[in-house]
Amino acid sequence: MKKLLILASAAAAVIATPAMAAGEGRVEGRGAIGWGGGSEDFFAGVAAGYDIDLGETAFVGPEVSYDTNFDGADLVNLGGRLGAKVGEKGKLYIAAGYEVNDIEEINAGVGYQHSFNDKVFGKVEYRRYFLNGTDLNAAGVGIGVKF
C-alpha cells in the first residue's frame, strides 16, 4: 500500500507539472529484460512523465514508473530525463532515477524516443541499476501517448 501511495503522489506531481511550463506529457506501457548476478528476468510496467521544452533543441522533465516481474519484484522509480530533440520526431536522452521500493537503489541510462504521429510514440532504453555489490542491467521498449 505504501508503494501505491508513493506512486500516486508522484503521478499527481507529474500531471500537475504542465501548468508550470510549456512542453508535453506522456504515459506509456513498457517491457524490459533485466540481467545481472548470473540471472535474467522479464519486467513490464507503466510510466508517466512531462518533458519541459528548453528551447528548440533540448528538454528536461520528471518521470515516475512502476514495473513488476510478476513474481514479487515490484519497482517504483522516481526520476527524470534530460535530452536533445533529434529532427522533428526524435528525442535522445539520458535518464536517472531512484527506486523507492525495498531495494532503494539509484539507476542511470540512455534512450531514444520516436514519434509515430502527433499522439503516439515508441522508445528504446537501457538502464544500469547500482545495487550494493551487484549491478543490474535492463534493456527495454515502450509505446505510449503524448498529451
Side-chain angles (χ1 to χ4, degrees), residues 1-11 30 43-47 63-69 72-79 97-107 127 129:
M1 184 66 167
K2 178 181 170 186
K3 293 176 194 175
L4 291 177
L5 290 174
I6 292 170
L7 182 61
S9 298
R30 60 199 201 161
F43 286 84
V46 295
E63 180 178 78
V64 60
S65 65
Y66 169 79
D67 297 289
T68 183
N69 70 350
D74 296 324
L75 308 172
V76 178
N77 187 65
L78 303 176
Y98 178 74
E99 295 288 343
V100 295
N101 56 319
D102 298 336
I103 299 172
E104 296 186 4
E105 82 273 355
I106 59 170
N107 59 74
R127 292 245 185 171
Y129 294 83

Side-chain angles (χ1 to χ4, degrees), residues 52-146:
I52 301 164
D53 287 332
L54 299 177
E56 293 183 21
T57 60
F59 67 94
V60 64
E63 180 178 78
V64 60
S65 65
Y66 169 79
D67 297 289
T68 183
N69 70 350
F70 304 103
D71 195 25
D74 296 324
L75 308 172
V76 178
N77 187 65
L78 303 176
R81 60 189 201 164
L82 169 67
K85 298 174 186 174
V86 181
E88 292 183 19
K89 296 187 178 203
K91 291 182 174 182
L92 184 63
Y93 60 89
I94 58 173
Y98 178 74
E99 295 288 343
V100 295
N101 56 319
D102 298 336
I103 299 172
E104 296 186 4
E105 82 273 355
I106 59 170
N107 59 74
V110 297
Y112 176 76
Q113 177 180 312
H114 187 82
S115 295
F116 299 123
N117 58 39
D118 289 343
K119 296 288 182 193
V120 179
F121 68 88
K123 74 176 203 176
V124 295
E125 186 175 275
Y126 166 81
R127 292 245 185 171
R128 180 129 182 146
Y129 294 83
F130 302 98
L131 303 172
N132 293 334
T134 302
D135 291 349
L136 301 176
N137 302 283
V141 296
I143 189 159
V145 294
K146 302 179 287 185

